[in-house]
């Protein structure tokens, strides 16, 4: 049974090979779209990438020759030296068609009745503003506090006029505060479009870094309600803070508000004390590192 089945498979395979061999030797008329390639384009013009043109070409020949043609990726070569801005009609003859000699095919027809056109755009130079992008929200906050001095510089780009009209800035790749070295940061630029050329792949920006310092401020009075008939021990605290030097240097005891939540003081029994944490209010940009004492005692008087 198995032998008969294998024999049938072999017969089918041989029949397919014979048919394929005959198809390769048989003559066919086949139409194929052939892409156009331009050379000698004037420097002031550029071909848009979405302007790809193919020309329908009808061939006549053996199947094996048509296979050679498909494998060789034929193209139509056009000299654009005399082309002008805008639409240019293509006048194609057989000598423009480039394909292997071993594909012995007869060319029966090139192009369509309507004709084909190539659009050349003007190559333009433009100055665009820089648009910074940040890796995280924390990085954006850092660069707001530490000013980038030359962020207003403009980036020179070239490209097709019609493409440049829709581009209003050159974006950076996301930047991080970790990239800052000695007050400078090297920023990579992103291409807005494939056909746009940026004169520089990266630029160096100057960062006016704010010096961060630590400082201890002592004897800060703790606010408390005088109408509650209470005593607090101690009545003053010391804090260790950090922040920009220009802010920290100007601070004193009056720059910091120390207080506590007095919401439940009425429930405090007479001559009884309670331990409570101190809260603080600082100027913008200032952060608390630690404070002493960490808790104060509150005593309700008679």
């Amino acid at each position: 049974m198995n032998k008969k089945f294998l024999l049938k498979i072999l017969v089918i395979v041989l029949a397919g090979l014979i048919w394929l061999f005959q198809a390769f030797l048989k003559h066919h008329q086949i139409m194929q779209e052939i892409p156009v390639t331009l050379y000698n384009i004037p420097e002031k013009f550029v071909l848009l990438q979405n302007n790809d043109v193919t020309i329908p070409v009808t061939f006549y020949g053996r199947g094996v020759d048509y296979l050679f043609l498909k494998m060789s990726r034929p193209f139509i070569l056009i000299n654009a030296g005399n082309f002008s801005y805008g639409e240019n009609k293509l006048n194609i003859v057989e000598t423009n068609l480039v394909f292997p000699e071993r594909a012995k095919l007869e060319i029966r027809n090139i192009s369509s009745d309507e004709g084909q056109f190539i659009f050349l755009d003007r190559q333009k130079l433009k100055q665009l503003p820089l648009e910074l992008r940040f890796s995280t929200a924390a990085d954006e906050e850092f660069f707001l506090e530490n000013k980038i001095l030359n962020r207003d510089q403009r980036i020179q780009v070239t490209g097709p006029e019609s493409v440049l009209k829709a581009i209003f800035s050159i974006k950076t790749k996301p930047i991080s505060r970790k990239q800052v070295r000695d007050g400078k940061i090297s920023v990579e630029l992103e291409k807005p479009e494939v056909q746009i050329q940026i004169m520089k792949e990266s630029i160096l920006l100057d960062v006016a870094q704010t010096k961060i310092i630590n400082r201890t401020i002592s004897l800060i009075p703790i606010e408390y309600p005088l109408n509650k008939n209470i005593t607090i021990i101690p009545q003053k605290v010391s804090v260790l803070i950090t922040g920009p030097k220009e802010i920290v240097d100007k601070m004193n005891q009056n720059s910091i508000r120390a207080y506590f939540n007095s919401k439940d003081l009425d429930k405090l029994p007479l001559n009884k004390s309670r331990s409570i944490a101190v809260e603080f209010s600082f100027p913008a940009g200032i952060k608390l590192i630690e404070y002493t004492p960490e808790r104060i005692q509150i005593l309700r008087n008679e």
Side-chain angles (χ1 to χ4, degrees):
M1 182 70 179
N2 287 337
K3 289 183 178 180
K4 289 183 179 180
F5 179 75
L6 291 174
L7 184 59
K8 287 181 180 180
I9 294 295
L10 181 60
V11 170
I12 292 172
V13 170
L14 289 174
L17 290 174
I18 293 171
W19 177 87
L20 189 61
F21 181 74
Q22 289 177 339
F24 277 164
L25 295 180
K26 187 178 179 181
H27 283 70
H28 308 269
Q29 180 167 291
I30 301 171
M31 190 274 290
Q32 181 173 332
E33 294 285 343
I34 308 296
V36 171
T37 298
L38 300 185
Y39 73 97
N40 200 25
I41 299 176
E43 290 185 6
K44 59 184 177 180
F45 298 135
V46 62
L47 177 67
L48 296 177
Q49 287 203 341
N50 59 358
N51 196 214
D52 294 337
V53 173
T54 59
I55 304 296
V57 179
T58 302
F59 297 94
Y60 180 77
R62 296 181 307 168
V64 65
D65 295 318
Y66 184 68
L67 180 63
F68 287 146
L69 180 73
K70 292 285 287 184
M71 293 172 61
S72 67
R73 297 182 180 179
F75 58 93
I76 294 172
L77 191 61
I78 301 290
N79 184 351
N82 294 322
F83 280 16
S84 59
Y85 169 72
E87 284 190 341
N88 295 270
K89 188 173 182 179
L90 299 180
N91 298 310
I92 300 168
V93 295
E94 287 189 18
T95 53
N96 295 126
L97 184 60
V98 179
F99 66 101
E101 292 183 2
R102 60 178 175 173
K104 298 177 180 178
L105 295 166
E106 177 188 342
I107 300 171
R108 294 212 165 169
N109 185 47
I110 298 178
S111 190
S112 61
D113 296 336
E114 298 82 13
Q116 295 286 353
F117 293 85
I118 287 283
F119 183 87
L120 291 186
D121 202 353
R122 294 188 184 95
Q123 182 84 351
K124 287 290 183 179
L125 179 69
K126 192 174 182 180
Q127 304 279 346
L128 292 171
L130 183 67
E131 183 179 337
L132 294 176
R133 296 170 60 221
F134 306 97
S135 296
T136 66
D139 289 315
E140 184 174 7
E141 183 179 350
F142 171 84
F143 286 107
L144 287 174
E145 293 176 357
N146 301 270
K147 303 296 182 184
I148 296 178
L149 302 179
N150 51 343
R151 68 180 296 167
D152 293 332
Q153 64 178 287
R154 300 180 78 79
I155 309 301
Q156 193 174 70
V157 299
T158 61
E161 183 179 30
S162 59
V163 177
L164 282 175
K165 283 181 179 178
I167 300 172
F168 304 101
S169 65
I170 296 298
K171 296 179 180 179
T172 67
K173 291 187 177 180
I175 61 175
S176 166
R177 53 191 165 178
K178 296 178 182 178
Q179 295 173 250
V180 178
R181 297 287 185 275
D182 298 324
K184 296 183 182 296
I185 180 171
S186 179
V187 178
E188 292 184 51
L189 305 176
E190 287 190 343
K191 273 179 129 185
E193 293 283 349
V194 174
Q195 286 190 277
I196 299 300
Q197 300 298 320
I198 303 177
M199 297 307 182
K200 298 179 181 178
E201 293 183 357
S202 64
I203 58 171
L204 196 64
L205 297 176
D206 297 314
V207 182
Q209 284 185 275
T210 301
K211 186 176 182 181
I212 303 298
I213 64 170
N214 298 342
R215 181 185 169 194
T216 298
I217 300 180
S218 303
L219 303 177
I220 302 168
I222 303 172
E223 299 176 9
Y224 66 95
L226 299 176
N227 63 343
K228 295 292 185 179
N229 196 25
I230 60 173
T231 300
I232 63 172
I233 304 172
Q235 295 189 346
K236 296 182 179 181
V237 293
S238 297
V239 297
L240 176 61
I241 57 174
T242 185
K245 186 178 186 301
E246 60 267 24
I247 299 177
V248 174
D249 283 345
K250 297 176 182 179
M251 292 179 63
N252 55 35
Q253 289 87 349
N254 298 323
S255 305
I256 301 170
R257 182 176 169 232
Y259 59 96
F260 58 86
N261 188 346
S262 59
K263 180 179 176 182
D264 299 325
L265 289 182
D266 292 336
K267 299 177 183 179
L268 185 65
L270 291 174
N271 299 321
K272 293 291 184 178
S273 66
R274 172 184 292 179
S275 173
I276 193 168
V278 182
E279 298 180 28
F280 298 93
S281 178
F282 298 100
I286 301 300
K287 295 181 181 179
L288 176 67
I289 297 177
E290 61 182 31
Y291 67 96
T292 55
E294 293 185 353
R295 301 182 73 83
I296 59 172
Q297 295 295 319
I298 301 178
L299 175 67
R300 187 176 181 191
N301 304 321
E302 292 183 3

